[in-house]
Amino acid sequence: MSSRRTKTIAGSLVAASFSAVVILSGTADADEGDTGSSKGGKVIDEAPAGVELTTLLPEKISVDNSSGTTDITATVKNEGTKDSGKTKLLVVGFDGLTVKNVEGCSAIEKGSLPEGSNSGFACSLDNLPAGESKSYAVEATYDLKKAGKICLPVQSADGKKTYWQQGPVPFGTTNPSPDAPATPLLLGTDNEPVAPGADKLPKTGLGRDVLPLGAAGAALIAAGGAGLWWSRLGRPGRARQS
């Protein structure tokens, strides 16, 4: 084999190795940047000039089949150019999803919970600087025999305005695995539970989602304020998908 041919082959191998490293590095960076989704989110009331508040939920959660427990990360972001000032994030559970605790936040009393919800916590924010975010560890349980939804409204400190609301958005699976140690659930997916000794139950979630967003949900009042949450969802707003 000539030295020229040897050099050509060696050069090709180096180039291929370099390409593989670039591809793998790009994949790792993409995974690390996957911090959540604003799926099901919408602007309700106009925020102060220069303030743009949104929320993120994980695309996937896992429910322990023996205990029914799951962990969720709820994130609030200020994508604007100015600091937010005092605001609050609410984390509210519906149907099969019950919020048990949110780190650093206060439980909403049952009498002040939004209509149709089973649990909720209020997280006060003194200020969220422009371009920054704050995440909260959410402990929850999920009854896999039901649909389960979560809602993240971001409000003014007095609760009179809702700058952004994500949900109620479902977590669910169309492929239940009751015999596995855990069941993975996807954001924005209606749950199709399996009852013991029976075939799949009728699809839940989508049809029932109309109720809290309709007349029965018109009187949803946040803790500490009189702001209506999604009674105004019908008016034009900025929807966000990611």
Side-chain angles (χ1 to χ4, degrees), residues 23 29 40 50 72 79 125 153 167 177 181 197 236:
I23 292 171
D29 289 342
I72 302 170
E79 297 180 330
L125 275 167
S177 50

Side-chain angles (χ1 to χ4, degrees), residues 11-55:
S12 300
L13 291 174
V14 170
S17 300
F18 177 77
S19 299
V21 170
V22 170
I23 292 171
L24 291 174
S25 298
T27 303
D29 289 342
D31 291 340
E32 289 172 5
D34 185 15
T35 55
S37 171
S38 60
K39 183 179 294 183
K42 183 177 181 180
V43 170
I44 307 298
D45 293 308
E46 186 177 354
V51 178
E52 188 178 342
L53 296 168
T54 60
T55 57

Side-chain angles (χ1 to χ4, degrees), residues 47-224:
V51 178
E52 188 178 342
L53 296 168
T54 60
T55 57
L56 298 172
L57 285 166
E59 287 277 10
K60 181 179 178 180
I61 63 173
S62 182
V63 177
D64 186 293
N65 284 340
S66 60
S67 64
T69 58
T70 185
D71 295 320
I72 302 170
T73 300
T75 301
V76 57
K77 296 178 64 179
N78 181 3
E79 297 180 330
T81 57
K82 294 185 178 179
D83 293 0
S84 70
K86 289 187 176 181
T87 58
K88 63 180 175 181
L89 169 71
L90 305 181
V91 183
V92 184
F94 290 82
D95 300 327
L97 193 156
T98 302
V99 181
K100 293 295 186 180
N101 187 54
V102 181
E103 186 178 8
C105 305
S106 303
I108 300 173
E109 294 182 0
K110 287 196 175 293
S112 298
L113 285 172
E115 186 173 340
S117 68
N118 56 43
S119 54
F121 282 74
C123 309
S124 297
L125 275 167
D126 289 335
N127 185 53
L128 190 60
E132 294 193 12
S133 64
K134 183 173 177 59
S135 296
Y136 295 88
V138 180
E139 297 174 12
T141 59
Y142 196 113
D143 183 349
L144 293 168
K145 298 183 181 67
K146 301 178 181 179
K149 294 185 280 292
I150 192 169
C151 188
L152 301 181
V154 183
Q155 299 185 325
S156 57
D158 59 10
K160 292 182 179 180
K161 289 187 176 182
T162 299
Y163 301 131
W164 170 268
Q165 180 174 301
Q166 186 175 7
V169 61
F171 274 106
T173 178
T174 56
N175 185 26
S177 50
D179 297 327
T183 297
L185 303 181
L186 300 178
L187 182 68
T189 301
D190 295 304
N191 196 37
E192 291 189 3
V194 171
D199 293 327
K200 289 184 180 180
L201 296 176
K203 186 174 183 179
T204 61
L206 183 59
R208 297 177 62 193
D209 204 36
V210 176
L211 180 61
L213 296 178
L220 296 176
I221 299 176

